[in-house]
Amino acid sequence: MEAGGRRGRLRREAAEYYRALRVPERMEEALNQLFLQRPDDLYGELANYFSKFSKPPVICKLVGRKLFDAAGRPTLEVEIYCTVKNYEKRICSTVMAAHSQIPENALPETIEANEKERNYSVHTAVEWVNESLNTMLKHLDPTDQCQADKMLGEYFANKVEEKKEKERQEKEKQEEEAAKATPASSLRGPASTPKHKKGGRPATKLSVEASSIPAAEPAESVLCGSLAIGGASLAIAKAGATVSHVPLYLYTALLKHHQESPEGMTLPLPMVTLLNCEKNSPTKLKLVKEVMVIPPVELSLKQGIKRVLDIQKEIIRLLGSSGKKQPTLKISHLGCLTLGYDSLEQLLLQMQIVCSNIGLELGRDMYLAINCAAHDLMDYEKGKYEILTGTFKSPDEMVAMYVEMIDNFPFIIALIDPLRKEDREQWSSICCALGSKCFVIAEDAATQISKLKTEQSINIVKCSGVVLKYINQTKVSDLIELTGILDGQRHVTILGSQDVESSDESLVDLARFLPSLLQAVGLGARFLKLGGLSRGERVAKYNRLLAIEEELAANGALR
């Protein structure tokens, strides 16, 4: 009797439990619908029907892992796991490209110190992800990007304050120790004025030019472990797109437009790096770091890429038919050919010849952009830029040179970092002189995204636009907010890749939500700077861009 009563009680509890969740009602509704449909996979359709009543996925685990980028340097991978229908499931991962501020001509000891710092930073980032961030973000809805980025931002701010407090305590300790010690020199009279600079080197009088140029600003500090913030934010965005069953580019567009689907979407114009001119090569030209080609806006991306590849093939053909021994072609870390020139005119005339040989005209069928990376050119003893080996120009002379260059070669429609960021007066001059003829873009001359957002103002040199890079503690919400600020200030926004990239393709999807830009010099579109069409990590991004173009066209959403 007791066993029967217990079974009866369990039946009543089960019936109440299922009725409260409307299981019988929904089961009857599903069976009635499916009987009429009679699908081939009945249980599959039942699973689809009931899945819409399941709880939404929530984050259950973050996994940080040390990987290597395209140059074999350590970087961070972040994996997102969610609880989906009561099971733990790996949703996605993202690999960050570690940012480096080391110039091409850095000393070996500087490079070694940078490598040690990078290793420590990645190690710290892995710890943050696997410990603090894993605990903090557990049970969060992956589609709540705003809340995730808010939590990540607060965590990072606390880490910054911890570092400041530690530095303050160390400084106080050093001051106390210095105060306790009584130096022998304090018992003597005042020391005579030293005749030499600190370090024993004779004091030298700076030239008028050197003393008149602004000193180089210190590199922006990067908190060790900051990669964890950017990696976690981007991984959560990818997870949100995955569980929402939409591609990342559409998901970020919905975030940008507050969940209102845009009527149509345009693709960014690619700035494809064709040549890398190493500044420490034996040839004379130092002014140019990258030569980039920009297809005209009326071409599809597929047509534009094909045209760029044709130009690249013709350059290689000319190198082989010069009558000399076939040169060994060197592919740069930027994914393009590495070539040296003795003058800017030699370089630009060769580009004209190459295009003419395949029936193209620069300024009509293809445009050029030049990355000058002028911050690497300054000789601080002379106070001038070394544009050719042994040829120096002052900041004002640089402005005059660029004006003459654009007058002589009007197919150049963009100059990137033509001056150091410290030469603000000359940036204003070059923008006034060339603003209607070409874009004057700040890349290394711009401030990091997180600092730009914190200051709520674009405190950068006067320019046409800015190259933004998703690095360190940058969050997806930061990028969305900052592009809105830039658009409001009528700056051209270019999303750029790192000098050394990872295989992650997310950058291409992020480029889709950038705001609309100025109509200028015939190019009414935003830009995407991904490097060249060689090396797997670069080509993967172009392939992703081609896939997006094809998908948008198939859906009738490509404008």
Side-chain angles (χ1 to χ4, degrees):
M1 290 291 291
E2 282 187 23
R6 189 164 53 251
R7 283 195 296 271
R9 188 167 60 253
L10 287 174
R11 288 194 193 98
R12 288 192 298 274
E13 289 176 1
E16 290 172 4
Y17 172 73
Y18 289 124
R19 267 199 305 272
L21 295 173
R22 300 176 61 191
V23 173
E25 174 189 340
R26 286 169 174 163
M27 179 67 78
E28 182 179 359
E29 182 181 320
L31 293 175
N32 288 338
Q33 288 182 10
L34 295 178
F35 177 74
L36 296 174
Q37 296 174 7
R38 303 196 181 191
D40 293 335
D41 185 358
L42 174 61
Y43 291 104
E45 284 299 318
L46 280 170
N48 292 337
Y49 178 84
F50 282 106
S51 67
K52 63 186 177 183
F53 302 113
S54 64
K55 290 183 177 181
V58 293
I59 295 172
C60 65
K61 185 171 67 175
L62 271 72
V63 176
R65 187 177 293 112
K66 175 182 173 181
L67 293 184
F68 296 95
D69 65 16
R73 302 182 304 189
T75 191
L76 173 72
E77 179 189 39
V78 179
E79 284 185 322
I80 299 286
Y81 289 77
C82 287
T83 301
V84 182
K85 300 182 181 67
N86 298 317
Y87 290 97
E88 181 184 286
K89 182 179 179 182
R90 182 187 182 278
I91 303 299
C92 66
S93 70
T94 190
V95 180
M96 291 291 286
H99 181 56
S100 175
Q101 295 178 314
I102 300 298
E104 288 182 9
N105 55 352
L107 298 173
E109 53 267 30
T110 304
I111 296 173
E112 184 179 353
N114 177 258
E115 290 302 320
K116 288 181 179 179
E117 183 179 352
R118 178 191 294 272
N119 270 293
Y120 177 63
S121 183
V122 171
H123 176 75
T124 304
V126 170
E127 283 187 347
W128 285 11
V129 172
N130 290 331
E131 296 172 10
S132 304
L133 301 188
N134 181 43
T135 302
M136 183 179 75
L137 297 170
K138 192 170 288 186
H139 308 306
L140 184 73
D141 180 354
T143 63
D144 194 348
Q145 188 71 38
C146 183
Q147 179 61 21
D149 285 349
K150 180 174 180 289
M151 295 169 71
L152 290 168
E154 290 172 352
Y155 178 84
F156 182 75
N158 290 336
K159 286 293 183 182
V160 171
E161 289 304 315
E162 286 177 15
K163 182 185 179 184
K164 287 180 180 178
E165 179 61 22
K166 184 178 179 181
E167 290 174 345
R168 185 186 65 79
Q169 291 176 359
E170 289 177 352
K171 184 179 179 181
E172 288 179 354
K173 185 178 178 181
Q174 290 172 359
E175 289 174 350
E176 288 174 5
E177 291 175 351
K180 289 177 183 178
T182 304
S185 60
S186 65
L187 302 177
R188 308 190 194 102
S192 59
T193 304
K195 296 182 180 180
H196 301 290
K197 284 185 175 183
K198 185 180 179 181
R201 296 177 62 186
T204 56
K205 185 177 180 181
L206 290 175
S207 66
V208 174
E209 293 88 351
S211 61
S212 64
I213 66 166
E217 296 177 10
E220 295 176 31
S221 60
V222 177
L223 184 65
C224 281
S226 58
L227 274 175
I229 304 300
S233 177
L234 183 53
I236 289 170
K238 292 178 74 173
T242 301
V243 301
S244 301
H245 307 291
V246 295
L248 181 59
Y249 68 84
L250 179 56
Y251 182 77
T252 48
L254 293 172
L255 290 174
K256 173 75 178 178
H257 299 286
H258 307 291
Q259 304 304 318
E260 292 184 10
S261 182
E263 293 180 3
M265 304 181 82
T266 57
L267 285 175
L269 276 175
M271 283 182 164
V272 186
T273 304
L274 194 66
L275 299 174
N276 174 216
C277 304
E278 291 183 335
K279 299 194 175 188
N280 54 1
S281 68
T283 49
K284 293 182 180 179
L285 181 63
K286 296 182 179 297
L287 179 65
V288 177
K289 177 184 177 181
E290 292 177 84
V291 178
M292 292 163 284
V293 287
I294 305 172
V297 71
E298 63 267 15
L299 294 184
S300 69
L301 177 68
K302 189 174 183 179
Q303 291 170 328
I305 294 296
K306 182 183 182 302
R307 192 169 286 186
V308 174
L309 287 171
D310 289 342
I311 294 173
Q312 186 172 288
K313 290 175 184 176
E314 179 61 15
I315 291 174
I316 295 172
R317 189 192 70 78
L318 284 179
L319 290 173
S321 62
S322 59
K324 301 176 183 179
K325 184 180 178 181
Q326 175 69 33
T328 301
L329 297 178
K330 180 181 176 183
I331 300 297
S332 161
H333 61 280
L334 296 172
C336 61
L337 292 170
T338 297
L339 294 176
Y341 295 87
D342 289 325
S343 69
L344 181 64
E345 290 73 18
Q346 179 193 13
L347 164 61
L348 296 176
L349 288 173
Q350 187 191 62
M351 291 301 303
Q352 286 181 301
I353 292 170
V354 166
C355 288
S356 178
N357 287 353
I358 57 175
L360 301 178
E361 181 183 339
L362 283 175
R364 185 193 67 190
D365 304 311
M366 191 65 72
Y367 301 89
L368 292 190
I370 304 294
N371 183 1
C372 304
H375 47 277
D376 290 336
L377 301 178
M378 177 57 71
D379 185 317
Y380 285 93
E381 290 186 0
K382 292 183 173 62
K384 293 185 175 183
Y385 294 93
E386 187 177 17
I387 62 166
L388 298 170
T389 303
T391 301
F392 298 87
K393 288 188 181 292
S394 69
D396 287 330
E397 290 171 334
M398 293 287 282
V399 175
M401 179 194 69
Y402 287 125
V403 171
E404 183 181 358
M405 178 200 303
I406 300 303
D407 286 342
N408 292 336
F409 303 99
F411 48 77
I412 300 174
I413 60 164
L415 294 173
I416 298 177
D417 284 346
L419 298 157
R420 302 179 309 143
K421 62 183 175 183
E422 293 83 3
D423 293 324
R424 292 175 179 268
E425 184 180 332
Q426 286 75 23
W427 275 91
S428 297
S429 299
I430 198 172
C431 281
C432 290
L434 297 177
S436 62
K437 299 178 180 180
C438 78
F439 295 113
V440 182
I441 305 295
E443 182 171 359
D444 286 341
T447 310
Q448 288 184 12
I449 290 174
S450 54
K451 190 173 180 181
L452 288 173
K453 179 180 175 290
T454 302
E455 295 175 353
Q456 286 298 304
S457 64
I458 309 303
N459 184 25
I460 55 175
V461 294
K462 183 176 181 181
C463 58
S464 311
V466 181
V467 178
L468 300 179
K469 296 181 180 181
Y470 192 88
I471 57 174
N472 300 327
Q473 69 270 22
T474 303
K475 303 182 292 296
V476 172
S477 298
D478 295 340
L479 201 57
I480 291 174
E481 184 176 344
L482 184 59
T483 52
I485 297 172
L486 285 165
D487 191 40
Q489 297 192 2
R490 298 179 68 79
H491 279 83
V492 172
T493 309
I494 302 168
L495 200 60
S497 63
Q498 298 293 326
D499 275 3
V500 178
E501 261 294 340
S502 73
S503 57
D504 198 289
E505 304 162 9
S506 308
L507 178 72
V508 175
D509 288 76
L510 291 180
R512 278 303 321 119
F513 70 79
L514 295 179
S516 58
L517 307 173
L518 297 168
Q519 294 279 344
V521 291
L523 295 175
R526 64 206 59 138
F527 300 105
L528 187 58
K529 185 173 177 285
L530 296 175
L533 285 165
S534 299
R535 298 184 63 98
E537 73 278 4
R538 305 280 176 182
V539 175
K541 293 174 177 59
Y542 285 108
N543 285 338
R544 174 61 185 151
L545 199 57
L546 288 166
I548 292 174
E549 179 183 58
E550 187 176 313
E551 185 175 326
L552 289 174
N555 295 333
L558 183 62
R559 290 193 300 191

